[in-house]
Amino acid sequence: MATIKEIAKLANVSSTTVSRVLNSDDSFSVSEETRNKILSIAKDVGYKTIVERHNHKKKIVYKIGIIYKQVIFKDYLDSDFYFSIRKGIERNCLEYNIELVFQLVTDYEKITQLHGVIILGNYAKHEIEHFLENIECEHVVIIGICPNDLKYDSISFQARIAVTQCLDYLQKLGHQTIGYMGAIQHIETPEDERRDVIYKRYMKRAGVYDSSIVFIGEPGEKSGYDLMLKAIQSKNIPSAFFIANDPIAIGALRALNEAKIQVPEDISIVSFDGHPITAFTNPPITTVQIPTEFMGETAIELLLERIEKQRKIAKKVIVPTQLVERDSCRDVSK
């Protein structure tokens, strides 16, 4: 099938002009002569827009692979972040009639005839290069840490802004002793994006950093439960905790409930990731919402842009985050 670039060359106009005409962009001003010329050439070469191809459900338009490690789809509670991204990917694939191929990084079978690849999760540069050794595809989107912004498209969020927003919120409520609870972070995570490092720098600037109220363990709800038990047994519980992800927060909340330590009356909690279940815990947990489904949808759009428009320059998409206030925090300033 002819590409937009080839049609643009035949019509002697820019690729942008061709794209906007073929996608019926009413806001785009172009002469009828040019419009008709583009439409005529597109018809002659058999070009179909994404929408037109979407209407032909029987034919798969593109084939896109998702590369991942098994651990990111461990279970819905601990891995909702990635399941939600996957939901966004699958929604757009259904919308544009794209076939998805799931490829574990432990599978070494060579994959051919892919139009695009999504790498889901945080991996080191050498890991990503290893993943792509057996895949014949030049269009790659990374949802997570990107080792080469010049080479790969990527989608992420700014952890520093989100963590700072949480800590600002707790301090505004009058909390001076704010503890940290989280999981060991990936070794390749830049320091400026590590939640434990961001927390430590913030508290040191405020002159109130206390390493005795920092608890770091494994990922997951069980780890959160164990970490909070450790905090309770230390008898040095702060007035609030910033917890680095929702599964750990859910486990920590269970430990507090069992110990008859009331949230938010005795201790306040702010968490991170926006897991749907945090709206239904007792009490509902204040958390940072990350638009994970949108991240998945955006990955497909970036690949389509690479394929359809033959974009050569890599894009880095930073999605916004939002603090969702619920009932797990108390104002102690009054």
Side-chain angles (χ1 to χ4, degrees), residues 211-230:
S211 61
S212 70
I213 52 175
V214 174
F215 300 88
I216 298 177
E218 297 301 315
E221 186 266 347
K222 183 182 182 303
S223 177
Y225 179 84
D226 292 339
L227 289 173
M228 187 55 79
L229 282 183
K230 186 177 178 181

Side-chain angles (χ1 to χ4, degrees), residues 220-222 224-226 228 246-256:
E221 186 266 347
K222 183 182 182 303
Y225 179 84
D226 292 339
M228 187 55 79
D246 290 333
I248 290 179
I250 292 165
L253 182 60
R254 180 163 64 90
L256 288 168

